[in-house]
Amino acid sequence: MTHKTALLCSTNSSSFSPTGASAAAIRLRAGAPSTPTRISASFPLQLPSISSHLSRSATSPIRSSASHSVGEEEEDREMASEDGQDLRIARIASAIRVIPNFPKPGIMFQDITTLLLDTKAFKDTIDLFVERYKDKNISVVAGIEARGFIFGPPIALAIGAKFVPMRKPNKLPGEVISEEYSLEYGTDKMEMHVGAVEAGERALVIDDLIATGGTLSAAIRLLERVGVEVVECACVIELPELKGRERLGDKPLFVLVNAA
Ligand SMILES: O=P(O)(O)OC[C@H]1O[C@H](OP(=O)(O)OP(=O)(O)O)[C@H](O)[C@@H]1O
Ligand SMILES: Nc1ncnc2[nH]cnc12
């Protein structure tokens, strides 16, 4: 399996009006994964040579960004709307590293730990989700272990929702309900504490990545079993070749970066 880098901000949702990143809906081809990523410290950058900026390397660490002023952030948004593209998404895509053959041969592993090293790209990631979900009356952000625990809590705090961890088996100490699911490379089980959510609540499900969609569908099933309305699922990265979006049926999915 090969996943070249592409970039996208997309949703299959008809329930939300596109705003910010989703309105940009940009898709850019990237260079070869072996080309080192270089991000200009004087962001916002100009986009004409964006393909080369989006190359990601398994061996070249991403540079941590200098602090970004409020004025610069506003400038990013203005440029984004002028170009019809959201420069924040380009930077996020650039900050994700691809490691071939991890955890086993044939898998192009999308490594978000390098995104976490880039303070601006990490903040932009959270901001883009918060901008989308802040006025959607969401009371629960359900984060999927392990990497949904990185993105979910800051989003939950910012939109005034509680955070509910969806965990691997035998990790939660209280009474749980569970769902089994299949993965791109194996099978697993997901558990949620009984009583963490109530029937009628509105939930957002967050993870770093959708591959086959097995993980997100298990989370949706767990929440819906107890009467929660899953408003949307959101991921930083989608692997569209694996058609996980189809496995979610009509459930809306919002992603920032498309690793095509
Ligand atoms: O769409 P799917 O095919 O279900 O795959 C996506 C899931 O796979 C990865 O997690 P993983 O199961 O590797 O667990 P980890 O985050 O604990 O490493 C990823 O973080 C998603 O949760
Ligand atoms: N290619 C991939 N990269 C990172 N996480 C994954 N989970 C399933 N497939 C993955």
Side-chain angles (χ1 to χ4, degrees), residues 145-147 168 183-185 207-215:
E145 186 171 356
R147 286 162 268 161
K168 299 277 159 79
L183 286 169
E184 188 185 7
Y185 40 82
D207 205 352
D208 67 320
L209 176 143
I210 177 169
T212 66
T215 308

Side-chain angles (χ1 to χ4, degrees), residues 15-16 132-142 159-164 197-205 223 226-232:
S15 56
F16 294 168
R132 181 169 179 82
Y133 297 113
K134 65 184 176 194
D135 298 319
K136 299 298 184 295
N137 200 25
I138 287 164
S139 59
V140 180
V141 174
I159 68 173
K162 62 188 174 187
F163 178 76
V164 174
V197 291
E198 290 172 19
E201 287 199 272
R202 285 167 57 81
L204 166 67
V205 181
L223 289 160
V226 292
V228 170
E229 179 189 351
V230 176
V231 176
E232 190 156 285

Side-chain angles (χ1 to χ4, degrees), residues 3 107-111 147 184-185 208-209 211 239 242:
H3 294 300
I107 301 293
M108 298 293 284
F109 192 83
Q110 307 287 320
D111 178 19
R147 286 162 268 161
E184 188 185 7
Y185 40 82
D208 67 320
L209 176 143
L239 306 183
L242 296 172

